[in-house]
Every structure is written in C-alpha cells, then in structure tokens.
C-alpha cells in the first residue's frame, strides 16, 4: 500500500508534543513526513525539517508558505498535523480544510465556541477529515473500557470521577519560564488555562467511555499562583444527558502528582478504573465480586482493544503508541474506512463549549449552566 503523505506545522525541535506525533505517525509505515513548517522561527523550522529528511522544496518557513506550496501540487500532502500553540489552531485548520487537506489538530481545537462551530461547518462542507488529538482515547485499555460499557458489562453508568492533575507548574519561581507562561496568557491560551489544557482530555474521556455527552456543568476556578491570569486549578461538576453524574478535578500545581490522569466509571453492575501512569491495565470490579486486572494484549479483549494492543502482554506500551493509534485510525479514515472512535471536530467543539461554560460558571460562583454547543441544544 502506498504511504500517505504527511505534513506538520509546529512541533519543532525541543517542543513538547512534536516527538510524539513523529513517532506516532511514522510508527506503522502508514505515513511519510513529506512537508513541514515546524517552528515559529523560519530558519530553524526549515533546518529541522531538512534534518528530518523532508525535501528542500517542502521544508517551509511558515504555514502560509506551506499552504501555497502544497495546495496545487498533484502529490500534495494527504494530512497535516497542527501542533502549534492554541491561538493559531483555528486559522491554520480552517485554511488547510478549505484547501482540501485533511487535518489532525492539537487540542484545544480553537479559542472560542464560534470558531469551533466554524471548523465543524467547514469540515462538513469540504468533506475533509478534521480530527482532534484526544490521544488518550486511543490507549487499548481505554478502548476496552469503552467497549465494556457499550456492551452493558457494567450496566447503566451512574457516576464518573476523573482527575488530570499534575504539579509541573507548581513552582512559582518558574512561572515566567516561556514554556510555562503561554499556557496562562489569555492571548496565547484563550479564556482558560488548566481546564482547556488538561481538563478537556478528562471531559472528552468521560464522554468517550460512557457514550454520553455533557449537558450541564458547574465550575470553581482558582489561580493559586496569583500572577497567573488564567486558572491553574479547577473543580468541575457535570451532568450528562443520560443522567450520569460527573466530577472532574484538574490542576497544574499538585506537586507530587506526576501525570495524574485517571478515570473511574461506576455503573449499576460494576466499576472500571484506568490510569494513564499504568495504561496497560484496566481495573474491573463486578458488583458483589472481586476486583480484577484486565491486561492489554490478553485473550478475550474486545476487538478494538485487541487491534490496538501493539506489544505483547506484560511488555510496556506507551504514549507515542496511543498517538500512533490515532494515526492508524486516521489512515483508515482517509482511505475511506469508518472509524467512529476517531475524535473529530464535533468533539473539539464540545470541549470549547465546556471550557467557555466553565469560565462563565466559575465567574458566577459555580452556577449550573448548559454546557452544550448551541447546535446540539
Ligand atoms: P511547545 O511550546 O513545546 O512547542 C510549540 C512548537 O510550535 C514550537 O516548535 C514552536 O516553534 C512551534 N510554533 C509556534 N508557532 C508556530 C507557527 N505559527 N508556525 C509554525 N510553528 C510554530 O508547545 P507544545 O507543548 O508542544 O504544545 C503545542 C500544542 O499541542 C498545544 O496546542 C498544546 O495544547 C498541545 N498539546 C497536546 C498534548 C496532548 O496530549 N494531546 C500534549 C502537549 C501539548
């Protein structure tokens, strides 16, 4: 099968998420890195692209040059990944979709709900794929949890408790480090800091596993480092349309917590627990029964979990492989196979509606508010 041609914007040398995309996209030989505008500094971006093996005429200085260079080529890229800071996602995503190129956009997809609605509209109008990198949803044991809920193995879901809380921005003396600061700068990050950065992964996961959507929420935001304009800690209570109760804590000042993403799903006949620091195991307790550990790669998993278990049982499987699973589903989708597990622009839009509702709720002392985008009300 011919490889799909892949381009990347952002994710330059030394960036946080760039290496995971390169490992993920290239892991299965499905994509070739064909074009790139990898850095906000044109020369560094070009130079790095050349070192990664991109041809000189496709190592671009910025994304506009890349769009102009790619859109009329016969051998243009099949997919572009956008791994730049949040404030740039909307215009780059929109421009590439309009040029007829499929997009994988980093989260949060946009800065505002209106921009999110526009991306959903443009993706529909152009018929192009706009995926959003909720990569944790592609861990095999998250897929197992989702399949177990869908096949009724824990009954109707009553309650979801999820945390995405780490301590890596907890040092007030490091708050001005440029890699940290943009995440709390409204001009770069948008209306929300930690909730838009990490909380939306947890909120997406709640919907992804339960097959249900957030309807209302109430939020309490805090900037525990007072120089920050945006929150570094948030508690968000939510209710889902099927009646499920949700609790979400997200923080970047929880010193001692490393990655700190976990989710517990409590149903009428059983409970599930998954944690990103031990991603190979899913903990399952049937009502009245013993707690069991379900291992990635073991016999009898649901099909989606089996398909995405890449490494033999008991061998570690990590974050880049979850990103690789997103690229596998994308390659299938580009080649015309339906993958309803691939997070799409509507998921990105739901997150933006939740972020803006949480900001409004936090300002209104935690008042409960409708968190659905208007197109789903
Ligand atoms: P970073 O600050 O480490 O790297 C950003 C990269 O983008 C740098 O190489 C920079 O030179 C480049 N860049 C900035 N503006 C550009 C432009 N206009 N054109 C081309 N390149 C440009 O940021 P990080 O942490 O890698 O985050 C990037 C995005 O990825 C953010 O939206 C963030 O929310 C998201 N992210 C997602 C994660 C996930 O789990 N899905 C994890 C970490 C980040």
């Amino acid at each position: 099968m011919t490889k799909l041609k892949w381009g990347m914007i952002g994710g330059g040398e030394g960036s946080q998420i760039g290496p995971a995309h390169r490992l993920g996209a290239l892991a299965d030989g499905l994509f070739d890195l064909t074009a790139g505008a990898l850095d906000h500094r044109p020369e560094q971006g070009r130079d790095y692209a050349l070192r990664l093996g991109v041809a000189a005429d496709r190592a671009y200085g910025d994304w506009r040059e890349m769009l102009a260079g790619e859109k009329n080529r016969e051998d243009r890229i099949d997919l572009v990944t956008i791994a730049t800071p949040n404030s740039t996602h909307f215009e780059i995503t929109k421009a590439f979709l309009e040029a007829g190129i499929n997009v994988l956009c980093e989260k949060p997809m946009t800065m505002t709900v209106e921009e999110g609605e526009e991306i959903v509209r443009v993706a529909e109008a152009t018929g192009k794929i706009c995926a959003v990198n909720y990569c944790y949803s592609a861990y095999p044991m998250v897929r197992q949890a989702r399949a177990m809920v869908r096949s009724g193995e824990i009954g109707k879901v009553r309650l979801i408790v999820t945390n995405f809380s780490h301590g890596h921005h907890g040092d007030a003396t490091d708050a001005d480090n440029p890699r940290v600061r943009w995440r709390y700068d409204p001009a770069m990050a948008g209306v929300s800091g930690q909730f838009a950065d990490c909380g939306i992964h947890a909120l997406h996961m709640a919907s992804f596993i339960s097959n249900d959507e957030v309807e209302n929420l109430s939020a309490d935001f805090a900037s525990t480092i007072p120089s920050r304009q945006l929150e570094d800690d948030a508690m968000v209570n939510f209710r889902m349309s099927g009646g499920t109760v949700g609790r979400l804590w997200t923080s970047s000042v929880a010193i001692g917590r490393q990655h700190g993403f976990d989710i517990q799903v409590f149903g009428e006949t059983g409970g599930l627990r998954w944690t990103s620091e031990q991603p190979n195991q899913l903990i399952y307790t049937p009502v009245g029964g013993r707690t069991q550990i379900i291992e990635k790669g073991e016999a009898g998993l649901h099909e989606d979990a089996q398909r995405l278990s890449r490494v033999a049982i008991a061998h570690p499987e990590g974050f880049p492989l979850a990103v690789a699973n997103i690229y596998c589903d994308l390659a299938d989708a580009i080649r015309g196979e339906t993958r309803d597990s691939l997070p799409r622009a509507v998921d990105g839009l739901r997150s933006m509606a939740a972020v803006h509702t949480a900001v409004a709720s936090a300002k209104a002392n935690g008042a409960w508010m409708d968190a659905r985008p208007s197109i789903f009300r």
Side-chain angles (χ1 to χ4, degrees):
M1 207 185 305
T2 10
K3 286 189 183 184
L4 294 164
K5 287 179 276 306
W6 176 53
M8 195 173 183
I9 298 171
E13 194 162 26
S15 66
Q16 188 187 159
I17 198 67
H21 280 286
R22 282 185 287 278
L23 289 167
L26 305 179
D28 295 282
L30 296 169
F31 294 91
D32 245 345
L33 180 58
T34 310
L38 302 177
D39 203 290
H40 66 285
R41 299 156 301 179
E43 274 321 305
Q44 276 90 335
R46 271 195 209 99
D47 175 63
Y48 191 43
L50 291 174
R51 280 188 280 130
L52 290 172
V54 173
D57 64 330
R58 299 177 94 168
Y60 299 99
D62 69 56
W63 69 266
R64 287 189 176 83
E65 198 186 296
M66 176 160 155
L67 182 65
E70 289 297 316
K71 70 178 177 190
N72 296 320
R73 289 182 76 109
E74 263 184 30
D75 62 345
R76 68 186 181 168
I77 49 171
D78 299 292
L79 172 73
V80 65
T81 291
I82 298 165
T84 50
N86 309 353
S87 59
T88 61
H89 292 174
F90 171 68
E91 64 171 344
I92 307 178
T93 300
K94 184 167 185 271
F96 276 79
L97 286 173
E98 284 174 343
I101 294 170
N102 300 302
V103 171
L104 172 61
C105 182
E106 262 307 339
K107 46 51 58 178
M109 183 174 79
T110 56
M111 300 275 268
T112 69
V113 180
E114 293 71 25
E115 288 169 356
E117 287 170 350
E118 177 71 356
I119 294 296
V120 169
R121 196 192 59 71
V122 173
E124 273 170 15
T126 56
K128 291 291 136 188
I129 296 165
C130 180
V132 181
N133 193 30
Y134 289 117
C135 45
Y136 298 94
S137 66
Y139 274 105
M141 298 321 282
V142 171
R143 297 295 177 89
Q144 173 72 10
R146 180 180 199 242
M148 287 177 75
V149 170
R150 287 187 169 203
S151 63
E153 287 168 64
I154 63 164
K156 186 177 176 327
V157 176
R158 289 176 175 146
L159 175 66
I160 294 178
V161 180
T162 181
N163 303 295
F164 198 151
S165 304
H166 64 81
H168 300 298
H169 304 163
D171 180 358
T173 63
D174 190 44
D176 269 342
N177 174 341
R179 295 280 301 279
V180 174
R181 197 181 51 217
W182 74 260
R183 292 189 145 84
Y184 304 94
D185 174 357
M188 297 284 278
V191 293
S192 161
Q194 177 61 14
F195 185 58
D197 194 25
C198 293
I200 59 172
H201 273 300
L203 204 65
H204 173 262
M205 181 80 85
S207 293
F208 187 78
I209 293 180
S210 67
N211 197 25
D212 201 355
E213 296 299 341
V214 174
E215 195 165 281
N216 295 292
L217 64 74
S218 153
D220 181 21
F221 278 16
S223 298
T224 66
I225 293 184
S227 61
R228 287 181 176 156
Q229 291 182 61
L230 299 173
E231 86 290 351
D232 53 19
D233 187 278
M235 185 64 84
V236 178
N237 284 302
F238 56 93
R239 296 285 188 278
M240 305 186 86
S241 43
T244 301
V245 174
R247 321 264 183 224
L248 184 159
W249 172 46
T250 187
S251 186
S252 65
V253 294
I255 295 169
R257 286 181 67 106
Q258 294 305 329
H259 196 239
F261 184 14
D262 56 55
I263 185 160
Q264 288 179 272
V265 181
F266 303 102
E268 287 172 339
T269 60
L272 295 169
R273 177 164 196 264
W274 180 84
T275 164
S276 66
E277 289 177 23
Q278 282 159 320
N280 298 340
Q281 282 104 32
L282 179 66
I283 312 298
Y284 166 53
T285 311
V287 66
R290 285 211 178 100
T291 295
Q292 305 165 27
I293 299 174
I294 305 175
E295 285 276 348
K296 170 218 59 144
E298 73 180 30
L301 296 179
H302 283 277
E303 187 275 330
D304 209 23
Q306 196 62 60
R307 176 176 72 90
L308 298 177
S309 294
R310 310 297 199 83
V311 185
I313 187 166
H315 291 75
E317 187 146 6
F319 183 75
L321 275 181
V323 179
N325 289 342
I326 292 279
Y327 280 93
C328 280
D329 283 359
L330 259 169
D332 286 347
I334 292 170
R335 293 188 164 122
E337 195 175 325
T338 313
R339 286 277 174 220
D340 73 347
S341 47
L342 182 64
R344 304 277 183 142
V346 286
D347 299 296
L349 168 61
R350 284 187 194 277
S351 297
M352 287 326 295
V355 166
H356 281 259
T357 308
V359 171
S361 168
K363 283 186 183 148
N365 288 323
W368 282 88
M369 294 181 178
D370 193 327
R372 294 167 297 174
S374 53
I375 59 171
F376 296 123
R377 286 186 192 172

